[in-house]
Amino acid sequence: MLSLRLILIGLVVGLLPVAVTAAPEPLAPKNQTIQYNNPLIYYHGRWDASQGTWWPGSGFKVNVLNLKSLTLNLGPLTPYPYASIGVSVGDTDFIPVNASAGANTITIPPAVLKQPLSRPTTVRINAAGWETYRLQFDSITINSDALVVPYIPSKTVFEFIGDSFTSGYLMPNGADQSWAFLVGEKYKAEHRIIAQAGAALTDIYSYGNVHGMSFQFFKTEDTSYYYTTDHNYTTDWNFARDHPKPSHVVIHIGANDNAQGITNDQFVQVYNDFLVKIRALYSSQPLFLFTPWGWPTSDGNVYYYYDGQYQRVLDARNALGDNNVFLVNTTGWITWEDVFPDSLHPTPAGQAKVANNFISWLENWGFSPN
C-alpha cells in the first residue's frame, strides 16, 4: 500500500502516485570451504590420523588464483588457548599468528590483492611454536571466485634431524626462525625438521623426553606425545608419505647424550646404528653430519663435546663403502655474542649465522641456491 506521504507528494506535483520499493540489502559475499582432504593441498612434516601436526614446522601449502579472503579453520584438538603458527601469503616472509580452535581470519597482503588473476598465490602455514607443534587442521575458507590449483613441490627437499639447536628453541617465531628453516628458505626448498628440544640420540630419558631420536625419528609423533592427553601413544611413521623424498639429510645431535653421561664409544655405536636405519630409508641421498658448535662462555672459550667422535662415525660409514656422507665442521660458528647467556642456545642472529655458514659450506661443496 502506498504511504500517505507519497500520495501527497504526487498530488502536489500533479503526477499520479508511483509505487516505490526499498533497495535490496547487498548480499554478503559467498565463500567456499576447502576441506583438509582436498588433494590439491600439499602437506609437509608429520600428521596423524586426526589431521593433527607433530614436529617443528609441519604444515601445508596451497596455491590459489584470485585470493581475496582467507580463514583458517582449526579443530578442537588444537591446543588451548592457541597454537603458534607461521603464515606466509604470497612471497611474504613468515609472520607469527596465534591461532585458536575454530575460525581464524588471515590477513591478505595488499600486493596479493592487486596481482593478476592468472598468477597463483601460495599460502603456507606451519606449526611453529617451539614448546608444542600441535594443531588440528579442519579446512580453509576462501572467496567464492577463487580457484585452488596444484602446488608443485620443489625437487630440493631438506630433512633436518636434531635437538633444540635445530628445532627453533627459544625463537620468537619458533621453528620458522631456526637455522634449518632459513637454509630451506634460501634454497627455495621443501624442508622437514624432525627435532626435539632436550632429546638425546640415544634412546634414553632426557630433559622431559621419554625417548631418544634413535627411536622417535621413526614415529609419527614427537616426544611430547607422552604429555598429550588426547594422543598419548606412538604410531609408526609411513615414510611413503614423505613426497618427494629428501634430497639432502642433515643431522646435528649429541649435546644431550653428552649431558646424560653417554660415553664416547656408546655414542658412536648409537650413531652408527642410526645411520644404518637412515640408509635403509634414503639409500643414495647425501648425509651431512654436523660436529658440535659447542657451548661458548663469556671468557671467549667454547666447550666442545665428543671431540673427534663424529669423525669416527664418518670413518665407519666410509669403511662400509658409503662415501656419500660428509662431516660439516662447525667449529667457531657460534661464539658468546651469538647465544642467550642463560641457556647458551643461539639467538635469532645466531641462528641466521649458522644458516649462512652452512649455506657457504654447501656452496663450497658444490650446491648453490637457485
Side-chain angles (χ1 to χ4, degrees):
M1 179 177 292
L2 298 176
S3 70
L4 178 61
R5 181 178 176 82
L6 285 175
I7 294 172
L8 291 173
I9 292 173
L11 292 173
V12 169
V13 298
L15 298 173
L16 292 175
V18 178
V20 176
T21 58
E25 290 291 332
L27 295 176
K30 293 182 179 179
N31 293 318
Q32 57 178 313
T33 297
I34 311 300
Q35 297 294 335
Y36 72 89
N37 56 356
N38 189 298
L40 294 177
I41 298 176
Y42 174 79
Y43 290 98
H44 61 270
R46 297 187 182 178
W47 297 74
D48 62 31
S50 73
Q51 209 56 18
T53 54
W54 300 90
W55 302 98
S58 293
F60 67 89
K61 303 178 178 74
V62 62
N63 265 351
V64 186
L65 292 171
N66 192 36
L67 180 66
K68 302 301 181 186
S69 64
L70 173 64
T71 300
L72 172 67
N73 304 305
L74 298 180
L77 298 183
T78 299
Y80 177 84
Y82 57 79
S84 297
I85 66 173
V87 177
S88 171
V89 179
D91 298 324
T92 65
D93 292 333
F94 277 80
I95 60 171
V97 173
N98 292 333
S100 303
N104 300 269
T105 301
I106 305 299
T107 301
I108 307 298
V112 170
L113 297 174
K114 297 177 182 178
Q115 69 186 23
L117 297 180
S118 59
R119 179 184 173 187
T121 296
T122 301
V123 176
R124 301 187 291 168
I125 294 179
N126 298 330
W130 57 264
E131 290 184 290
T132 177
Y133 310 108
R134 292 278 278 151
L135 62 84
Q136 186 187 30
F137 177 47
D138 178 77
S139 60
I140 56 172
T141 302
I142 57 178
N143 47 296
S144 62
D145 52 347
L147 178 65
V148 178
V149 296
Y151 172 84
I152 308 301
S154 172
K155 294 181 180 179
T156 300
V157 183
F158 284 100
E159 181 141 284
F160 300 95
I161 305 171
D163 50 31
S164 58
F165 286 142
T166 304
S167 68
Y169 180 64
L170 298 180
M171 293 299 97
N173 296 353
D176 291 347
Q177 260 180 320
S178 72
W179 65 269
F181 189 89
L182 298 176
V183 169
E185 290 293 284
K186 182 67 174 181
Y187 279 84
K188 297 181 174 60
E190 310 302 330
H191 35 88
R192 305 172 189 134
I193 302 174
I194 311 300
Q196 190 76 21
L201 178 62
T202 308
D203 189 18
I204 55 173
Y205 180 90
S206 178
Y207 299 113
N209 298 282
V210 294
H211 285 289
M213 289 297 294
S214 59
F215 171 89
Q216 207 70 42
F217 175 80
F218 303 96
K219 302 298 179 181
T220 300
E221 300 80 9
D222 61 50
T223 51
S224 67
Y225 80 91
Y226 187 79
Y227 306 98
T228 306
T229 56
D230 66 280
H231 191 119
N232 57 353
Y233 54 89
T234 62
T235 55
D236 291 341
W237 175 244
N238 178 6
F239 285 89
R241 294 178 63 183
D242 288 337
H243 179 73
K245 284 186 175 183
S247 59
H248 303 76
V249 179
V250 185
I251 307 174
H252 180 37
I253 203 162
N256 298 305
D257 297 79
N258 178 256
Q260 301 299 337
I262 300 299
T263 67
N264 288 350
D265 288 346
Q266 289 172 327
F267 179 69
V268 170
Q269 185 62 58
V270 169
Y271 210 146
N272 286 338
D273 293 343
F274 182 63
L275 291 183
V276 169
K277 294 180 180 179
I278 293 295
R279 267 290 176 244
L281 293 169
Y282 312 130
S283 59
S284 59
Q285 290 86 335
L287 309 180
F288 303 97
L289 315 182
F290 274 37
T291 67
W293 59 60
W295 302 104
T297 57
S298 58
D299 60 8
N301 292 317
V302 180
Y303 168 67
Y304 295 99
Y305 46 88
Y306 293 135
D307 187 31
Q309 304 311 303
Y310 294 84
Q311 183 65 50
R312 289 177 61 191
V313 174
L314 176 66
D315 292 344
R317 291 307 308 170
N318 291 163
L320 294 172
D322 186 353
N323 295 312
N324 205 18
V325 184
F326 305 92
L327 201 63
V328 180
N329 186 351
T330 68
T331 301
W333 282 16
I334 289 293
T335 63
W336 178 252
E337 291 73 22
D338 305 315
V339 299
F340 295 109
D342 58 344
S343 74
L344 305 186
H345 285 76
T347 61
Q351 295 277 356
K353 183 178 179 181
V354 171
N356 290 331
N357 280 330
F358 185 43
I359 290 166
S360 295
W361 189 97
L362 287 171
E363 289 178 322
N364 291 330
W365 180 73
F367 184 42
S368 299
N370 296 328

